[in-house]
Amino acid sequence: SYTYIFPMFLEKLKELTTAEQSKYKIGELLDMFESSSIVVCLVLVTIVTSLPLPPWGGGFETIPGGILSLFLAIQGLVGLEQVYLPSFAKQLDIDLGFLKTSDWTKKIIYWLEKYIKKDRGKWALNPIFENLMYVLVIPNALLMIVPIVFTNGPPSQCITAMAITWLLYDGLLFGATLGVSIFVIVMYIVLFIVFAKLLYRTRKTWTFGLWK
């Protein structure tokens, strides 16, 4: 149940930052958290790409997490209480070495321990807002799949933030992360429209006159 996940999630996250092992299979991480919750999986598949680090894969590094996040969001929307992952997905490796080496990890954990307050803003902790989270995960996951630099970090961070605040049962911050996620999605829609118009206006240039 959620009441069991909440108090232990942050402690397990802290353990991952101090353990000697850095590579885990997704199945191992699910067992470590003693839950196959969809929301826990959303954190696991996006937390590495959510760290504020320079792009290290040319925009391709977030594709696996985006595909898995999309898969998980659909499961949440259809009402599955426990995540379904095929065997091959549970065998996929996740390198959490960044959690140990990045100063941002310690800062984030410190911030969570200081500012997250369980049971605050219970009005946001309901099935409607939970489904809204899954709906918002879908466009963010699609942006993660697009192999273009600067379309990956913020969407991944939105998914991680929504999932963590839901897991830690802080309704106030959970509602805030939903709002930020909506803003990020709208921002990208506007940017794509502007960029598409720019490409159309300059079509003669970049198509070498083939598209008039």
Side-chain angles (χ1 to χ4, degrees), residues 23-135:
K23 289 187 177 181
Y24 298 85
K25 296 186 182 300
I26 291 179
E28 291 177 337
L29 290 171
L30 290 176
D31 292 338
M32 179 181 298
F33 283 97
E34 302 179 19
S35 169
S36 56
S37 154
I38 294 173
V39 186
V40 170
C41 286
L42 285 172
V43 175
L44 296 180
V45 301
T46 60
I47 192 167
V48 173
T49 52
S50 291
L51 294 177
L53 301 171
W56 44 269
F60 288 89
E61 68 275 6
T62 59
I63 291 179
I67 293 173
L68 287 172
S69 294
L70 185 62
F71 181 66
L72 292 166
I74 293 173
Q75 291 189 43
L77 286 174
V78 299
L80 294 183
E81 294 185 1
Q82 297 293 325
V83 67
Y84 167 78
L85 288 178
S87 298
F88 79 88
K90 291 183 179 180
Q91 296 303 312
L92 293 176
D93 290 323
I94 294 182
D95 190 345
L96 300 182
F98 288 118
L99 294 180
K100 303 176 186 179
T101 59
S102 175
D103 291 335
W104 280 98
T105 305
K106 296 178 181 178
K107 293 178 181 178
I108 291 172
I109 291 177
Y110 171 79
W111 189 90
L112 291 175
E113 290 182 322
K114 184 175 181 179
Y115 294 106
I116 290 286
K117 295 182 180 179
K118 181 182 174 183
D119 294 333
R120 180 173 59 176
K122 282 189 175 182
W123 55 268
L125 301 169
N126 58 69
I128 295 176
F129 276 71
E130 181 183 10
N131 285 330
L132 176 59
M133 173 179 65
Y134 295 133
V135 169

